[in-house]
Amino acid sequence: MHAPVHKASSRFIFSLGIFIGLALAQSALAGSDDPAAPQHAPIAAPQAVVAPMSGQKVYSEVCIACHYPPGAGGAPALGDRTAWAPRLAQGKDTLIAHALNGFSGKAGGLMPKKGGRLDLSDAEIIGAVEYMIEQ
């Protein structure tokens, strides 16, 4: 003979059965090929498109820290023809190489690689060098 089942126990078993049934149904739908079934593919975050900065903007945001008059740490100040003359005599390609790769001068000056902003492209750094040369 069976022991009597209480009403509370039977309600609990019934509720548990419904819960398990719903979980199984959801699991079955997730694995189906039904186009109406919910899809759980990860959504990629949109990538921001960033336009390259102009040479003047790179100067204004990065290079200005050392190249703003009167110049800091041996850096030639923007517009200081006397300070730029020996550097310009080495040629534009040398100045660009120093800006891209870094440089330690004999007089104690230090040019960090890409001005310390390794996230900038070579083209942005070259644009900044060209901007400073034009000044």
Side-chain angles (χ1 to χ4, degrees), residues 19-33 37-38 40:
F19 177 75
I20 291 171
L22 286 173
L24 290 173
Q26 184 178 11
S27 175
L29 279 176
S32 77
D33 292 332
H40 299 288

Side-chain angles (χ1 to χ4, degrees), residues 47-88:
Q47 297 295 318
V49 176
V50 179
M53 289 194 288
S54 69
Q56 183 177 4
K57 185 162 178 73
V58 172
Y59 169 79
S60 297
E61 292 189 12
V62 181
C63 310
I64 197 168
C66 296
H67 290 280
Y68 185 78
L78 186 70
D80 183 343
R81 293 179 187 272
T82 304
W84 278 97
R87 290 164 176 89
L88 291 172

Side-chain angles (χ1 to χ4, degrees), residues 53-55 58 92-93 95-97 99-100 114 120-134:
M53 289 194 288
S54 69
V58 172
K92 180 178 165 181
D93 291 340
L95 291 175
I96 289 171
L100 291 174
K114 291 189 172 186
L120 295 175
S121 70
D122 288 359
E124 288 170 313
I125 297 297
I126 292 168
V129 171
E130 290 172 343
Y131 169 77
M132 288 190 281
I133 289 172
E134 290 169 7

Side-chain angles (χ1 to χ4, degrees), residues 106-122:
K106 294 176 186 169
L110 174 69
M111 173 66 207
K113 181 177 184 176
K114 291 189 172 186
R117 285 286 306 272
L118 302 180
D119 60 311
L120 295 175
S121 70
D122 288 359

